[in-house]
Amino acid sequence: MQIRYQHIECTPSTNDLLVQMLRTTNLQSGFVLIADFQSNGRGQAGNIWETECGKNLTFSILFRPKNLTVDKNFILSQATALAIKSVLDEYLPQNSDEKFKIKWSNDIYWRQQKICGILIENTLKGKQILYSIIGIGLNINQLHFSRYIINPISLCQITGKQIANLNDILRNICQKVLSFLNDKNNYPNIKLQYFNALYRNDGFHNFRTNDNIIFFAKIVEIQDDGKMILETSEGGHIGFYYKEIMFA
């Protein structure tokens, strides 16, 4: 697939701007819109994504899946998160035992801190996904964050080095995301790798529901629609969608 890049200096949101562009232009799958600065970047569930101008990557990828129904939509998150993680892992020392983790549903974490957020917005035709806009915010060279932003970190802070060429990371991520998504035969392997890369998938942890109930459980499955299945310490199984539960 040919990837077409379009760069702009500033926009409130690359996702929102891409939606507007699609109303008047028949953009093809693989179109990427990149902004030096987003003045109103959005995260999942109405969260705000903060970025310092010129320091990070904020961009949106247009993907037109073939025969992907909405009940199978979570492969978009899995493939995107796994692709970004694999690119970021290349910046760690070769002998490092630590790797980046994917916090369900699709945040990228380094230890206990967030380096990347993903916002995927789908447009449907019946039960089929007509197209997806995959918005990505990745902290690269930013050193100082607002005190209102919870546990942020950048690649520069992790490696101790300023990253000279952001474009290399951008292109590597876009190529890998689209490569993963276009290879439907590899979807089962992507799902397995995603699960193995999950943050806190190493046994039992405390979880908190929206009703403020705390219980001890472990992640045992992520279903095709994104529901996380937990096994409680009593042996029962219970499922949650995004924002219905959090780590306590």
Side-chain angles (χ1 to χ4, degrees):
M1 174 184 291
Q2 183 178 4
I3 304 176
R4 177 188 166 196
Y5 298 92
Q6 181 169 327
H7 173 265
I8 57 175
E9 290 185 0
C10 179
T11 185
S13 161
T14 54
N15 269 29
D16 290 348
L17 180 55
L18 189 45
V19 169
Q20 295 175 23
M21 294 171 69
L22 284 165
R23 291 174 183 155
T24 57
T25 308
N26 184 26
L27 299 172
Q28 298 302 306
S29 189
F31 178 84
V32 182
L33 181 66
I34 312 107
D36 290 335
F37 179 65
Q38 284 190 141
S39 59
N40 190 29
R42 295 183 292 113
Q44 293 193 78
N47 293 331
I48 299 299
W49 183 261
E50 178 196 271
T51 185
E52 187 177 346
C53 184
K55 296 286 188 179
N56 306 313
L57 286 173
T58 50
F59 59 102
S60 296
I61 304 171
L62 174 64
F63 177 65
R64 297 183 181 273
K66 296 179 181 178
N67 301 318
L68 182 63
T69 53
V70 67
D71 60 318
K72 309 286 187 183
N73 77 89
F74 198 63
I75 190 64
L76 300 167
S77 284
Q78 292 170 311
T80 301
L82 194 63
I84 296 170
K85 169 194 151 45
S86 65
V87 171
L88 291 177
D89 281 343
E90 295 174 3
Y91 287 83
L92 301 176
Q94 291 186 353
N95 59 352
S96 175
D97 291 331
E98 282 193 282
K99 302 294 182 183
F100 288 91
K101 292 288 187 178
I102 302 169
K103 185 179 179 184
W104 178 79
S105 60
N106 57 24
D107 290 335
I108 312 299
Y109 264 53
W110 172 254
R111 297 176 181 168
Q112 310 299 321
Q113 293 177 278
K114 180 176 176 178
I115 189 173
C116 179
I118 301 166
L119 175 63
I120 299 178
E121 298 176 300
N122 299 314
T123 295
L124 307 180
K125 185 177 182 179
K127 294 183 179 181
Q128 298 284 327
I129 297 177
L130 188 62
Y131 63 82
S132 299
I133 295 177
I134 303 170
I136 297 169
L138 176 58
N139 298 328
I140 304 292
N141 287 323
Q142 188 164 338
L143 297 177
H144 304 287
F145 295 87
S146 166
R147 62 187 178 92
Y148 300 106
I149 305 300
I150 300 173
N151 66 349
I153 197 168
S154 67
L155 190 57
C156 175
Q157 290 174 321
I158 294 167
T159 63
K161 301 175 183 178
Q162 285 279 317
I163 308 301
N165 195 336
L166 274 65
N167 197 51
D168 284 348
I169 300 178
L170 168 73
R171 290 177 179 269
N172 286 342
I173 287 175
C174 292
Q175 288 167 5
K176 190 155 287 192
V177 167
L178 291 167
S179 175
F180 281 7
L181 288 174
N182 281 309
D183 186 4
K184 295 192 76 171
N185 292 330
N186 197 39
Y187 280 8
N189 187 46
I190 287 172
K191 294 174 184 177
L192 177 61
Q193 290 186 55
Y194 170 90
F195 186 87
N196 290 337
L198 276 177
Y199 174 78
R200 292 190 180 177
N201 71 344
D202 55 346
F204 285 84
H205 296 274
N206 282 322
F207 291 84
R208 183 195 305 272
T209 69
N210 287 341
D211 299 327
N212 210 32
I213 297 172
I214 298 177
F215 63 99
F216 206 44
K218 68 176 180 179
I219 305 170
V220 293
E221 182 188 359
I222 305 296
Q223 296 184 338
D224 287 346
D225 62 353
K227 180 183 282 189
M228 181 170 64
I229 307 300
L230 301 176
E231 179 183 320
T232 68
S233 54
E234 290 80 22
H237 289 77
I238 188 168
F240 296 90
Y241 287 105
Y242 182 68
K243 286 297 182 182
E244 291 181 346
I245 196 169
M246 65 188 71
F247 287 106

mmCIF file of all heavy atoms in Angstrom, residues 12-51:
data_model
loop_
_atom_site.group_PDB
_atom_site.id
_atom_site.type_symbol
_atom_site.label_atom_id
_atom_site.label_comp_id
_atom_site.label_asym_id
_atom_site.label_seq_id
_atom_site.Cartn_x
_atom_site.Cartn_y
_atom_site.Cartn_z
ATOM 1 N N PRO A 12 -6.614 22.061 15.579
ATOM 2 C CA PRO A 12 -7.139 21.615 16.874
ATOM 3 C C PRO A 12 -7.002 20.112 17.063
ATOM 4 O O PRO A 12 -6.651 19.633 18.133
ATOM 5 C CB PRO A 12 -8.609 22.048 16.810
ATOM 6 C CG PRO A 12 -8.622 23.213 15.885
ATOM 7 C CD PRO A 12 -7.590 22.888 14.841
ATOM 8 N N SER A 13 -7.276 19.329 15.998
ATOM 9 C CA SER A 13 -7.223 17.871 16.093
ATOM 10 C C SER A 13 -7.022 17.294 14.699
ATOM 11 O O SER A 13 -7.798 17.610 13.781
ATOM 12 C CB SER A 13 -8.519 17.327 16.712
ATOM 13 O OG SER A 13 -8.683 15.959 16.426
ATOM 14 N N THR A 14 -6.018 16.443 14.526
ATOM 15 C CA THR A 14 -5.813 15.819 13.211
ATOM 16 C C THR A 14 -6.968 14.875 12.875
ATOM 17 O O THR A 14 -7.343 14.747 11.716
ATOM 18 C CB THR A 14 -4.476 15.059 13.153
ATOM 19 O OG1 THR A 14 -4.406 14.120 14.227
ATOM 20 C CG2 THR A 14 -3.293 16.016 13.220
ATOM 21 N N ASN A 15 -7.535 14.213 13.869
ATOM 22 C CA ASN A 15 -8.699 13.363 13.598
ATOM 23 C C ASN A 15 -9.866 14.177 13.058
ATOM 24 O O ASN A 15 -10.501 13.814 12.067
ATOM 25 C CB ASN A 15 -9.137 12.624 14.867
ATOM 26 C CG ASN A 15 -8.473 11.263 15.023
ATOM 27 O OD1 ASN A 15 -7.352 11.047 14.550
ATOM 28 N ND2 ASN A 15 -9.138 10.342 15.693
ATOM 29 N N ASP A 16 -10.163 15.293 13.739
ATOM 30 C CA ASP A 16 -11.286 16.127 13.321
ATOM 31 C C ASP A 16 -11.055 16.717 11.930
ATOM 32 O O ASP A 16 -11.979 16.769 11.102
ATOM 33 C CB ASP A 16 -11.516 17.258 14.319
ATOM 34 C CG ASP A 16 -12.072 16.765 15.647
ATOM 35 O OD1 ASP A 16 -12.487 15.587 15.710
ATOM 36 O OD2 ASP A 16 -12.079 17.548 16.613
ATOM 37 N N LEU A 17 -9.837 17.165 11.666
ATOM 38 C CA LEU A 17 -9.534 17.746 10.361
ATOM 39 C C LEU A 17 -9.634 16.702 9.261
ATOM 40 O O LEU A 17 -10.148 16.979 8.169
ATOM 41 C CB LEU A 17 -8.146 18.378 10.367
ATOM 42 C CG LEU A 17 -7.702 19.033 9.048
ATOM 43 C CD1 LEU A 17 -8.722 20.069 8.574
ATOM 44 C CD2 LEU A 17 -6.313 19.661 9.205
ATOM 45 N N LEU A 18 -9.193 15.498 9.542
ATOM 46 C CA LEU A 18 -9.277 14.425 8.548
ATOM 47 C C LEU A 18 -10.737 14.094 8.230
ATOM 48 O O LEU A 18 -11.094 13.820 7.078
ATOM 49 C CB LEU A 18 -8.526 13.195 9.043
ATOM 50 C CG LEU A 18 -8.313 12.044 8.056
ATOM 51 C CD1 LEU A 18 -7.862 12.526 6.694
ATOM 52 C CD2 LEU A 18 -7.301 11.054 8.638
ATOM 53 N N VAL A 19 -11.596 14.120 9.231
ATOM 54 C CA VAL A 19 -13.031 13.920 9.000
ATOM 55 C C VAL A 19 -13.564 14.992 8.045
ATOM 56 O O VAL A 19 -14.313 14.700 7.102
ATOM 57 C CB VAL A 19 -13.812 13.955 10.329
ATOM 58 C CG1 VAL A 19 -15.317 14.030 10.072
ATOM 59 C CG2 VAL A 19 -13.499 12.729 11.165
ATOM 60 N N GLN A 20 -13.173 16.234 8.268
ATOM 61 C CA GLN A 20 -13.614 17.332 7.401
ATOM 62 C C GLN A 20 -13.098 17.147 5.978
ATOM 63 O O GLN A 20 -13.832 17.377 4.998
ATOM 64 C CB GLN A 20 -13.125 18.663 7.968
ATOM 65 C CG GLN A 20 -13.733 19.039 9.308
ATOM 66 C CD GLN A 20 -13.127 20.305 9.888
ATOM 67 O OE1 GLN A 20 -12.584 21.139 9.161
ATOM 68 N NE2 GLN A 20 -13.200 20.445 11.198
ATOM 69 N N MET A 21 -11.856 16.721 5.844
ATOM 70 C CA MET A 21 -11.276 16.517 4.512
ATOM 71 C C MET A 21 -12.012 15.422 3.751
ATOM 72 O O MET A 21 -12.213 15.515 2.536
ATOM 73 C CB MET A 21 -9.790 16.163 4.649
ATOM 74 C CG MET A 21 -8.943 17.295 5.199
ATOM 75 S SD MET A 21 -7.239 16.779 5.609
ATOM 76 C CE MET A 21 -6.586 16.464 3.969
ATOM 77 N N LEU A 22 -12.452 14.394 4.451
ATOM 78 C CA LEU A 22 -13.138 13.281 3.806
ATOM 79 C C LEU A 22 -14.513 13.670 3.272
ATOM 80 O O LEU A 22 -15.067 12.985 2.408
ATOM 81 C CB LEU A 22 -13.271 12.112 4.783
ATOM 82 C CG LEU A 22 -11.992 11.300 5.019
ATOM 83 C CD1 LEU A 22 -12.127 10.428 6.257
ATOM 84 C CD2 LEU A 22 -11.678 10.439 3.798
ATOM 85 N N ARG A 23 -15.073 14.749 3.759
ATOM 86 C CA ARG A 23 -16.378 15.205 3.262
ATOM 87 C C ARG A 23 -16.295 15.745 1.840
ATOM 88 O O ARG A 23 -17.298 15.754 1.112
ATOM 89 C CB ARG A 23 -16.933 16.291 4.201
ATOM 90 C CG ARG A 23 -17.344 15.763 5.568
ATOM 91 C CD ARG A 23 -17.739 16.885 6.494
ATOM 92 N NE ARG A 23 -18.060 16.372 7.829
ATOM 93 C CZ ARG A 23 -17.975 17.087 8.937
ATOM 94 N NH1 ARG A 23 -17.603 18.367 8.871
ATOM 95 N NH2 ARG A 23 -18.270 16.555 10.108
ATOM 96 N N THR A 24 -15.105 16.185 1.449
ATOM 97 C CA THR A 24 -14.958 16.800 0.130
ATOM 98 C C THR A 24 -13.938 16.086 -0.761
ATOM 99 O O THR A 24 -13.876 16.361 -1.958
ATOM 100 C CB THR A 24 -14.526 18.272 0.273
ATOM 101 O OG1 THR A 24 -13.298 18.345 1.025
ATOM 102 C CG2 THR A 24 -15.597 19.070 1.002
ATOM 103 N N THR A 25 -13.140 15.183 -0.182
ATOM 104 C CA THR A 25 -12.068 14.538 -0.939
ATOM 105 C C THR A 25 -12.100 13.036 -0.725
ATOM 106 O O THR A 25 -12.230 12.574 0.417
ATOM 107 C CB THR A 25 -10.683 15.075 -0.493
ATOM 108 O OG1 THR A 25 -10.689 16.499 -0.537
ATOM 109 C CG2 THR A 25 -9.582 14.542 -1.399
ATOM 110 N N ASN A 26 -11.969 12.283 -1.786
ATOM 111 C CA ASN A 26 -11.962 10.822 -1.707
ATOM 112 C C ASN A 26 -10.545 10.339 -1.408
ATOM 113 O O ASN A 26 -9.820 9.884 -2.306
ATOM 114 C CB ASN A 26 -12.476 10.206 -3.010
ATOM 115 C CG ASN A 26 -12.561 8.693 -2.915
ATOM 116 O OD1 ASN A 26 -12.715 8.127 -1.825
ATOM 117 N ND2 ASN A 26 -12.449 8.025 -4.053
ATOM 118 N N LEU A 27 -10.156 10.439 -0.147
ATOM 119 C CA LEU A 27 -8.811 10.041 0.251
ATOM 120 C C LEU A 27 -8.714 8.527 0.330
ATOM 121 O O LEU A 27 -9.649 7.848 0.768
ATOM 122 C CB LEU A 27 -8.469 10.659 1.610
ATOM 123 C CG LEU A 27 -8.483 12.195 1.654
ATOM 124 C CD1 LEU A 27 -8.332 12.673 3.085
ATOM 125 C CD2 LEU A 27 -7.364 12.767 0.782
ATOM 126 N N GLN A 28 -7.577 8.006 -0.057
ATOM 127 C CA GLN A 28 -7.377 6.574 -0.083
ATOM 128 C C GLN A 28 -6.806 6.056 1.236
ATOM 129 O O GLN A 28 -6.193 6.806 2.012
ATOM 130 C CB GLN A 28 -6.432 6.198 -1.236
ATOM 131 C CG GLN A 28 -6.969 6.562 -2.608
ATOM 132 C CD GLN A 28 -8.310 5.912 -2.898
ATOM 133 O OE1 GLN A 28 -8.467 4.697 -2.792
ATOM 134 N NE2 GLN A 28 -9.302 6.730 -3.241
ATOM 135 N N SER A 29 -6.996 4.779 1.468
ATOM 136 C CA SER A 29 -6.407 4.131 2.641
ATOM 137 C C SER A 29 -4.890 4.322 2.604
ATOM 138 O O SER A 29 -4.258 4.171 1.559
ATOM 139 C CB SER A 29 -6.745 2.634 2.613
ATOM 140 O OG SER A 29 -6.370 2.006 3.813
ATOM 141 N N GLY A 30 -4.333 4.691 3.751
ATOM 142 C CA GLY A 30 -2.903 4.957 3.817
ATOM 143 C C GLY A 30 -2.563 6.438 3.803
ATOM 144 O O GLY A 30 -1.400 6.811 3.867
ATOM 145 N N PHE A 31 -3.590 7.298 3.770
ATOM 146 C CA PHE A 31 -3.345 8.743 3.877
ATOM 147 C C PHE A 31 -3.024 9.081 5.332
ATOM 148 O O PHE A 31 -3.711 8.626 6.250
ATOM 149 C CB PHE A 31 -4.569 9.522 3.418
ATOM 150 C CG PHE A 31 -4.419 11.021 3.542
ATOM 151 C CD1 PHE A 31 -3.790 11.750 2.549
ATOM 152 C CD2 PHE A 31 -4.888 11.692 4.657
ATOM 153 C CE1 PHE A 31 -3.645 13.135 2.652
ATOM 154 C CE2 PHE A 31 -4.745 13.061 4.780
ATOM 155 C CZ PHE A 31 -4.123 13.782 3.777
ATOM 156 N N VAL A 32 -1.986 9.890 5.549
ATOM 157 C CA VAL A 32 -1.544 10.257 6.898
ATOM 158 C C VAL A 32 -1.488 11.780 7.005
ATOM 159 O O VAL A 32 -0.848 12.442 6.192
ATOM 160 C CB VAL A 32 -0.165 9.658 7.226
ATOM 161 C CG1 VAL A 32 0.248 10.032 8.659
ATOM 162 C CG2 VAL A 32 -0.164 8.144 7.050
ATOM 163 N N LEU A 33 -2.156 12.314 8.014
ATOM 164 C CA LEU A 33 -2.153 13.752 8.279
ATOM 165 C C LEU A 33 -1.337 14.006 9.543
ATOM 166 O O LEU A 33 -1.651 13.477 10.608
ATOM 167 C CB LEU A 33 -3.582 14.257 8.459
ATOM 168 C CG LEU A 33 -3.759 15.750 8.725
ATOM 169 C CD1 LEU A 33 -3.318 16.571 7.512
ATOM 170 C CD2 LEU A 33 -5.222 16.064 9.069
ATOM 171 N N ILE A 34 -0.286 14.847 9.421
ATOM 172 C CA ILE A 34 0.627 15.105 10.540
ATOM 173 C C ILE A 34 0.589 16.597 10.881
ATOM 174 O O ILE A 34 0.589 17.449 9.986
ATOM 175 C CB ILE A 34 2.088 14.746 10.177
ATOM 176 C CG1 ILE A 34 2.161 13.365 9.528
ATOM 177 C CG2 ILE A 34 2.985 14.843 11.385
ATOM 178 C CD1 ILE A 34 2.427 13.420 8.038
ATOM 179 N N ALA A 35 0.557 16.914 12.170
ATOM 180 C CA ALA A 35 0.580 18.307 12.620
ATOM 181 C C ALA A 35 1.736 18.520 13.594
ATOM 182 O O ALA A 35 2.002 17.676 14.448
ATOM 183 C CB ALA A 35 -0.739 18.682 13.282
ATOM 184 N N ASP A 36 2.407 19.665 13.457
ATOM 185 C CA ASP A 36 3.439 20.028 14.424
ATOM 186 C C ASP A 36 2.835 20.285 15.800
ATOM 187 O O ASP A 36 3.477 20.061 16.824
ATOM 188 C CB ASP A 36 4.190 21.287 13.969
ATOM 189 C CG ASP A 36 5.077 21.030 12.766
ATOM 190 O OD1 ASP A 36 5.500 19.877 12.571
ATOM 191 O OD2 ASP A 36 5.343 21.993 12.008
ATOM 192 N N PHE A 37 1.581 20.749 15.781
ATOM 193 C CA PHE A 37 0.935 21.095 17.046
ATOM 194 C C PHE A 37 -0.565 20.879 16.937
ATOM 195 O O PHE A 37 -1.194 21.246 15.949
ATOM 196 C CB PHE A 37 1.213 22.559 17.409
ATOM 197 C CG PHE A 37 0.551 23.011 18.689
ATOM 198 C CD1 PHE A 37 0.917 22.468 19.912
ATOM 199 C CD2 PHE A 37 -0.447 23.971 18.659
ATOM 200 C CE1 PHE A 37 0.293 22.872 21.093
ATOM 201 C CE2 PHE A 37 -1.061 24.389 19.831
ATOM 202 C CZ PHE A 37 -0.688 23.832 21.042
ATOM 203 N N GLN A 38 -1.137 20.278 17.975
ATOM 204 C CA GLN A 38 -2.584 20.155 18.120
ATOM 205 C C GLN A 38 -3.019 21.017 19.295
ATOM 206 O O GLN A 38 -2.554 20.816 20.418
ATOM 207 C CB GLN A 38 -2.997 18.695 18.387
ATOM 208 C CG GLN A 38 -2.956 17.803 17.177
ATOM 209 C CD GLN A 38 -3.599 16.448 17.449
ATOM 210 O OE1 GLN A 38 -4.274 15.911 16.603
ATOM 211 N NE2 GLN A 38 -3.385 15.897 18.633
ATOM 212 N N SER A 39 -3.906 21.951 19.039
ATOM 213 C CA SER A 39 -4.346 22.844 20.112
ATOM 214 C C SER A 39 -5.445 22.229 20.966
ATOM 215 O O SER A 39 -5.710 22.682 22.072
ATOM 216 C CB SER A 39 -4.832 24.178 19.522
ATOM 217 O OG SER A 39 -5.902 23.949 18.616
ATOM 218 N N ASN A 40 -6.100 21.196 20.440
ATOM 219 C CA ASN A 40 -7.183 20.557 21.188
ATOM 220 C C ASN A 40 -7.185 19.059 20.908
ATOM 221 O O ASN A 40 -8.209 18.484 20.542
ATOM 222 C CB ASN A 40 -8.535 21.182 20.816
ATOM 223 C CG ASN A 40 -9.660 20.734 21.730
ATOM 224 O OD1 ASN A 40 -9.424 20.424 22.902
ATOM 225 N ND2 ASN A 40 -10.868 20.673 21.204
ATOM 226 N N GLY A 41 -6.029 18.433 21.099
ATOM 227 C CA GLY A 41 -5.911 17.006 20.852
ATOM 228 C C GLY A 41 -6.801 16.209 21.790
ATOM 229 O O GLY A 41 -6.938 16.548 22.971
ATOM 230 N N ARG A 42 -7.433 15.158 21.252
ATOM 231 C CA ARG A 42 -8.380 14.375 22.036
ATOM 232 C C ARG A 42 -7.856 12.966 22.276
ATOM 233 O O ARG A 42 -7.183 12.382 21.440
ATOM 234 C CB ARG A 42 -9.726 14.282 21.301
ATOM 235 C CG ARG A 42 -10.417 15.603 21.158
ATOM 236 C CD ARG A 42 -11.780 15.461 20.497
ATOM 237 N NE ARG A 42 -11.679 15.054 19.094
ATOM 238 C CZ ARG A 42 -12.087 13.896 18.624
ATOM 239 N NH1 ARG A 42 -12.594 12.974 19.446
ATOM 240 N NH2 ARG A 42 -12.004 13.610 17.340
ATOM 241 N N GLY A 43 -8.192 12.444 23.455
ATOM 242 C CA GLY A 43 -7.912 11.059 23.769
ATOM 243 C C GLY A 43 -9.209 10.299 23.901
ATOM 244 O O GLY A 43 -10.291 10.811 23.581
ATOM 245 N N GLN A 44 -9.136 9.080 24.382
ATOM 246 C CA GLN A 44 -10.337 8.275 24.550
ATOM 247 C C GLN A 44 -11.220 8.828 25.672
ATOM 248 O O GLN A 44 -10.735 9.414 26.636
ATOM 249 C CB GLN A 44 -9.958 6.827 24.875
ATOM 250 C CG GLN A 44 -9.267 6.105 23.727
ATOM 251 C CD GLN A 44 -9.197 4.622 23.972
ATOM 252 O OE1 GLN A 44 -10.175 3.911 23.802
ATOM 253 N NE2 GLN A 44 -8.038 4.140 24.365
ATOM 254 N N ALA A 45 -12.519 8.625 25.503
ATOM 255 C CA ALA A 45 -13.516 8.989 26.517
ATOM 256 C C ALA A 45 -13.431 10.459 26.906
ATOM 257 O O ALA A 45 -13.632 10.834 28.053
ATOM 258 C CB ALA A 45 -13.360 8.114 27.750
ATOM 259 N N GLY A 46 -13.105 11.323 25.913
ATOM 260 C CA GLY A 46 -13.111 12.758 26.159
ATOM 261 C C GLY A 46 -11.870 13.294 26.827
ATOM 262 O O GLY A 46 -11.817 14.474 27.192
ATOM 263 N N ASN A 47 -10.849 12.470 27.017
ATOM 264 C CA ASN A 47 -9.612 12.943 27.621
ATOM 265 C C ASN A 47 -8.878 13.898 26.670
ATOM 266 O O ASN A 47 -9.048 13.846 25.452
ATOM 267 C CB ASN A 47 -8.693 11.764 27.964
ATOM 268 C CG ASN A 47 -9.277 10.894 29.058
ATOM 269 O OD1 ASN A 47 -10.011 11.372 29.909
ATOM 270 N ND2 ASN A 47 -8.973 9.610 29.029
ATOM 271 N N ILE A 48 -8.026 14.745 27.242
ATOM 272 C CA ILE A 48 -7.246 15.704 26.468
ATOM 273 C C ILE A 48 -5.830 15.171 26.293
ATOM 274 O O ILE A 48 -5.248 14.591 27.217
ATOM 275 C CB ILE A 48 -7.196 17.074 27.185
ATOM 276 C CG1 ILE A 48 -8.617 17.643 27.331
ATOM 277 C CG2 ILE A 48 -6.313 18.051 26.417
ATOM 278 C CD1 ILE A 48 -9.332 17.887 26.033
ATOM 279 N N TRP A 49 -5.284 15.363 25.065
ATOM 280 C CA TRP A 49 -3.894 14.964 24.824
ATOM 281 C C TRP A 49 -3.059 16.222 24.696
ATOM 282 O O TRP A 49 -3.240 17.026 23.784
ATOM 283 C CB TRP A 49 -3.776 14.112 23.552
ATOM 284 C CG TRP A 49 -2.368 13.637 23.350
ATOM 285 C CD1 TRP A 49 -1.421 14.179 22.523
ATOM 286 C CD2 TRP A 49 -1.727 12.547 24.019
ATOM 287 N NE1 TRP A 49 -0.240 13.490 22.633
ATOM 288 C CE2 TRP A 49 -0.393 12.486 23.545
ATOM 289 C CE3 TRP A 49 -2.146 11.620 24.976
ATOM 290 C CZ2 TRP A 49 0.513 11.518 24.000
ATOM 291 C CZ3 TRP A 49 -1.241 10.677 25.425
ATOM 292 C CH2 TRP A 49 0.062 10.626 24.932
ATOM 293 N N GLU A 50 -2.125 16.435 25.630
ATOM 294 C CA GLU A 50 -1.280 17.620 25.636
ATOM 295 C C GLU A 50 -0.014 17.359 24.844
ATOM 296 O O GLU A 50 0.595 16.290 24.951
ATOM 297 C CB GLU A 50 -0.907 17.990 27.074
ATOM 298 C CG GLU A 50 0.027 19.196 27.159
ATOM 299 C CD GLU A 50 0.696 19.319 28.537
ATOM 300 O OE1 GLU A 50 0.104 19.973 29.389
ATOM 301 O OE2 GLU A 50 1.793 18.774 28.722
ATOM 302 N N THR A 51 0.403 18.343 24.043
ATOM 303 C CA THR A 51 1.654 18.199 23.307
ATOM 304 C C THR A 51 2.318 19.550 23.136
ATOM 305 O O THR A 51 1.645 20.573 22.946
ATOM 306 C CB THR A 51 1.410 17.553 21.931
ATOM 307 O OG1 THR A 51 2.655 17.322 21.279
ATOM 308 C CG2 THR A 51 0.524 18.416 21.059
#
